[in-house]
Amino acid sequence: MDHYLLETINRTTEYIEEHLLETLCLDDISGHVNVSKFHLLRIWKGATATGLMEYVRRRRIALSLGDLLNQRSNIEYISAKYGFSCERTYNRAFKEEYHVTPAKWRRSPSPLNILDRFNADFMSRAGDGLVFFRSISVLPPFSIAGPTYSIHAEDNLLSQAAARYGVEFFTLSRSRIMNPVEKDVYIGFTSIPEPFTGSMIYQPSLQINHSSIIPPDLNIKHIKPHKYGVFTYIGLHRPEEITPHSLSEIWEYITSTWMPTVPFQLEEKFSFEYINYAKGNKHYCECDLYFPISGL
């Protein structure tokens, strides 16, 4: 399954890059990689955080910068060369991307952050899916509510206890929380007690705010503002069907390739998974994994 995901992403990238100076539409791309349009859009957005046709547009704009620096090419010609219907459309897209018009940038070129060709080499296979580093993000303080469980780490890999508790909460108990921030967003919060004795505290939860109504038997946790390393896992299955093998390889990827490079400054050890069920279905899972680096 992971080979299928990587192959789909790589073939899509190659086809787009080879045809940027030609007419490109979603039907052409999905037909070439032999994946339904709906499914391809989900996979691509999950892997790149960019819409498929948005990627095409932004790559064309990035490539056009070289032509703008060539004073012999007028802007009308450049806009047509890169597939824009007219100069006005190109000007609008360029300004939306770089906050300056093509003509003004040509007169006074300045450094720009561009969208380069997508590189799937930074993705790692994780069981039935792919995991990759997404970003460094800062989150303000937030609060969650849900039951808490003490789970032995090794037992969790074997029995998937956290996943079972999460499914039970999300399907049977989340409706008991009135006015959550996002009713379709699941947050699985894991904290590591000090000293570590082999067990972790797991809290399947929803994010809440001052207007939420919380049943008294659920626990409320307040998380301070932090800087996080964010990873994304995508797989062709339901979120609750992630396997112990996938979990093990996700942890191996994060702990061996990323954590050794990061100077952690934390008062407590925790992490959480963020799953927007509105993005998934029985054939697609997308999960963001947040690992705090330091408090703010």
Side-chain angles (χ1 to χ4, degrees), residues 162-271:
R164 286 190 287 104
Y165 290 136
V167 171
E168 181 180 293
F169 167 78
F170 199 76
T171 56
L172 301 178
S173 300
R174 67 172 167 139
S175 60
R176 298 174 58 216
I177 299 176
M178 306 298 292
N179 303 321
V181 174
E182 293 282 354
K183 66 180 180 63
D184 291 326
V185 173
Y186 172 82
I187 296 176
F189 192 91
T190 301
S191 55
I192 309 298
E194 292 288 352
F196 179 62
T197 59
S199 294
M200 61 184 185
I201 305 300
Y202 187 71
Q203 182 171 349
S205 59
L206 297 182
Q207 186 177 351
I208 58 171
N209 57 25
H210 64 279
S211 65
S212 303
I213 302 174
I214 318 301
D217 60 317
L218 297 183
N219 295 302
I220 297 174
K221 185 171 183 62
H222 304 289
I223 297 93
K224 298 176 182 178
H226 280 83
K227 179 169 71 174
Y228 296 87
V230 186
F231 294 79
T232 296
Y233 169 85
I234 59 175
L236 302 180
H237 53 77
R238 299 179 191 272
E240 59 269 22
E241 292 174 346
I242 186 169
T243 65
H245 180 55
S246 296
L247 287 172
S248 178
E249 292 197 336
I250 290 171
W251 274 105
E252 174 62 24
Y253 171 73
I254 293 172
T255 57
S256 64
T257 64
W258 179 69
M259 285 187 174
T261 69
V262 178
F264 290 92
Q265 299 174 355
L266 295 171
E267 295 179 1
E268 60 176 324
K269 293 182 179 179
F270 69 92
S271 63

Side-chain angles (χ1 to χ4, degrees), residues 1-72:
M1 199 70 73
D2 50 347
H3 293 280
Y4 169 78
L5 280 172
L6 272 178
E7 182 181 350
T8 298
I9 294 166
N10 282 326
R11 290 182 64 202
T12 301
T13 304
E14 290 170 5
Y15 184 78
I16 290 173
E17 294 294 328
E18 290 172 0
H19 296 82
L20 282 173
L21 299 185
E22 304 170 21
T23 301
L24 264 179
C25 66
L26 181 57
D27 286 331
D28 294 334
I29 301 170
S30 64
H32 176 76
V33 298
N34 196 29
V35 176
S36 74
K37 291 183 287 186
F38 179 76
H39 201 46
L40 180 60
L41 289 173
R42 279 184 181 269
I43 292 173
W44 185 265
K45 185 67 177 288
T48 68
T50 305
L52 186 61
M53 298 313 294
E54 178 191 357
Y55 175 85
V56 172
R57 176 181 58 81
R58 294 180 65 192
R59 286 292 296 131
R60 285 172 166 167
I61 295 172
L63 290 178
S64 75
L65 295 174
D67 293 72
L68 285 173
L69 293 175
N70 179 355
Q71 298 295 327
R72 292 173 296 179

